[in-house]
Each structure stands twice: as structure tokens, then as C-alpha cells.
Amino acid sequence: MDTDLLQQTARKMVAPGKGILAADESHPTIGKRFGALGIEASEENRRLYRQMFFCSPGIENYISGVILFDETIRQSTDDGVPFPQWMNSLGIVPGIKVDKGVKPLPGHPGETVTEGLDGLRDRLAEYFELGARFAKWRAVINIGENLPSTASVVANAHALARYAALCQEASIVPIVEPEVLMSGDHDIDTCETVTTKVLQCTFEQLQQQGVLLEGIVLKPSMVIPGSEGPVAGIKEVAQRTVRCLTSTVPASVPGITFLSGGQSDEDATSHLDAINRLGDHPWNLTFSYGRALQTTAMKTWGGKPEALESASQAFLKRARCNSAATSGTWEPSMEETAV
Ligand code: 13P
């Protein structure tokens, strides 16, 4: 375990003005998103689509790291440069999703636990060789009637901590992602209570497993009402999110990169902006968005080679707006201007 490398990588991932592009959708997930737009889910289409992001001119001004899927870390640009090498040439850190997805938690209907610990040590060694310097593991917590159960919170936090310890042993920075889902009709108060409990338990487990907090990046969901619940204002989301993080996340964690979790592009940006307008925080607060960086670009591309350049421009616009949000300097008028 190279602790200097871990701390250096973690700081690079949350460098001021930059955030992470999550491009690690599993085959079924990207297949569904392509399918909805009539795009064939072939290996070459996935490569072309992701290359469009990675080769967007100036991406390195806004993006510090990219989370890849197993297939993608082994793919190359049109010119035959392996994607991890291409990213390194731009100063972008290549990362890899290592969890194997969620499975039903036995005895707990409506709840899941993330799998993927078996064999993880060997997979991490290979990913390090392939160039990955950080990893991602997503735990999912559902809010519902009497949910989440303590069993699901503890099982998911324990798995996150075991994963994080294995990553650090391999000198790979773990992104610790406990996602509290937005699905449901719960209010923001419920989300705050659940997220606080989940983060408390996650840090207890990380400490029990001896994880170096200076060498992780936390990827939480924001404190936000359920998608069918009573709406909350942007400032309220920001204030509650910061309150929840302040009470649970030690200052030794270098950075927090939010997931977008199904928020619209502009909501994800304006919430991050409002969070950063609340003043100095002990950690850098930035983005690690999947859908909120990709949705417009994917629609713009639609599988048409002639639309790749406009798709890339659509992506750069989101990246630039989110970059501004990391310093609380995003303005709605930025949504009107081209890149
Ligand atoms: P979303 O921003 O679309 O939630 O994706 C981020 C991610 O990496 C989920 O694991």
C-alpha cells in the first residue's frame, strides 16, 4: 500500500474546478439507455460513444477522473491508444467500477446488498496494471415504509468498508458510494434522517476496517425529497446536504463527489452550486455525475456519426456548468451560452 500515491490520487480527483465523469454503466444499463433512443448496444457503439466524451476537446479543464467499466478500460481510441493511456496524457485519472451490482438482501424484501468482494484482490491487481488509480463501489439504500432496515444499512456499509480496505491495499483510491435512492414519495426530512444514519454507519465501518480516510473519496447522494414527494427549494437541499455531511464526514476526507441520481441536468448543477455558495467546507465538494453529464449528449448523438461533434459540445457545456458550480459561480445564463 503506497499511502503517498493514495493521497496524491485522491487530491487530484477532487482538484478545484474539476469533477468526475461516471461512464461505467454496466452492459444492461447502457443497453437500456441506448435502446430507449434506438441505438444498437454493440461493443463498437459503446466504444464510439465513450470515445466521444474522452476525446472532447478541453475535457481536461473540467474533468479530473473518469470511471470506466471493465470492457472500456481495455478499449482504445480510433488511433489505437488505450483509453487509460489517453486519459493519463491529459492528466485525467482513470478509474474502474469494481462492484458486481446489487442483489436482494435475504429476509429483507425491497432491499439489496452490493456484491463483488470475492476475487476482488486479484481484480484490483489487474486493474492497477491496466492503469486504474481509483475504483468505485455503489451501495444502494431504499427509502420506503419501515425502510431502510438496520440490517441493510449495516450490510451495505460493511461491504463498502471491506472493498475500500482492499482498494487501498492495492494503492487504488476507493470511491465510497452509499446512494440513498430518490425513488418514492418521502419528504426531505426523511431523506436527511436516513442519509445521516447511512453515512454515520459507513464511517464507523470504514474506521473498523482501518481505512485511511485521507485516501478515499466519498460519493453520496444529496439530501433531496423523493421523486414523488413534496418538492424542496434549491437552497433547502443545499443547507440540509451540508448539515448532514458536517455531522457525519470527518474533515480528513479530502473530497466529496456527489452522484446525480436521476436529478435533471440543471437541478444537479444548481444544487451543487448552491452547496458551494454556502461557504468554506473542510472537503472539496464536486460532482461525479453519470446521467447529469451524459443524458443530453447521448440524445444529441442518437447513434449518428455526423452528430458526434454536437454531442461532444453538449457534454462540454454540462462539464463547464458543473465546473463553475464547484466554486459556486454558476449562473442560469450559462445554460444559454454555447461552449
Ligand atoms: P448518476 O450521476 O447517474 O447517479 O450516476 C453516478 C454513478 O456513478 C452511479 O453509481
Side-chain angles (χ1 to χ4, degrees), residues 22-25 33 67 97 99 136-138 177 179 219 258-263 288-293:
D24 60 324
E25 300 81 7
R33 292 181 190 161
I67 317 174
K97 185 232 290 296
D99 68 66
K136 177 190 116 170
W137 176 289
R138 173 174 174 258
E177 180 177 0
E179 174 171 6
K219 176 164 172 169
F258 294 102
L259 58 91
S260 61
Q263 297 184 50
S288 174
Y289 293 162
R291 283 161 287 179
L293 282 171

Side-chain angles (χ1 to χ4, degrees), residues 127-302:
Y127 288 139
F128 189 93
E129 286 302 310
L130 287 169
R133 291 296 175 268
F134 73 92
K136 177 190 116 170
W137 176 289
R138 173 174 174 258
V140 177
I141 301 294
N142 275 312
I143 296 181
E145 216 183 317
N146 299 320
L147 300 188
S149 66
T150 301
S152 124
V153 172
V154 174
N156 278 291
H158 179 75
L160 274 170
R162 289 276 322 282
Y163 139 83
L166 281 162
C167 284
Q168 291 193 337
E169 181 189 80
S171 303
I172 288 179
V173 169
I175 289 190
V176 173
E177 180 177 0
E179 174 171 6
V180 177
L181 286 186
M182 260 171 76
S183 336
D185 60 4
H186 52 274
D187 59 14
I188 192 167
D189 221 32
T190 308
C191 181
E192 185 172 357
T193 307
V194 170
T195 308
T196 303
K197 180 175 170 183
V198 166
L199 290 176
Q200 259 162 4
C201 185
T202 301
F203 280 97
E204 270 165 34
Q205 293 285 337
L206 288 170
Q207 262 150 5
Q208 267 175 30
Q209 296 300 324
V211 172
L212 176 79
L213 296 184
E214 290 82 356
I216 72 163
V217 168
L218 178 71
K219 176 164 172 169
S221 35
M222 294 176 188
V223 173
I224 201 165
S227 40
E228 313 296 320
V231 177
I234 288 166
K235 212 161 171 196
E236 182 170 17
V237 169
Q239 283 166 339
R240 286 184 182 253
T241 300
V242 169
R243 184 165 74 189
C244 170
L245 295 172
T246 305
S247 70
T248 53
V249 185
S252 47
V253 172
I256 297 176
T257 63
F258 294 102
L259 58 91
S260 61
Q263 297 184 50
S264 71
D265 290 359
E266 201 168 322
D267 279 357
T269 303
S270 60
H271 285 143
L272 180 62
D273 182 71
I275 286 168
N276 278 304
R277 278 178 198 258
L278 289 176
D280 278 344
H281 306 295
W283 345 261
N284 286 351
L285 291 166
T286 180
F287 57 92
S288 174
Y289 293 162
R291 283 161 287 179
L293 282 171
Q294 291 190 42
T295 305
T296 310
M298 191 189 288
K299 274 191 200 142
T300 306
W301 171 51

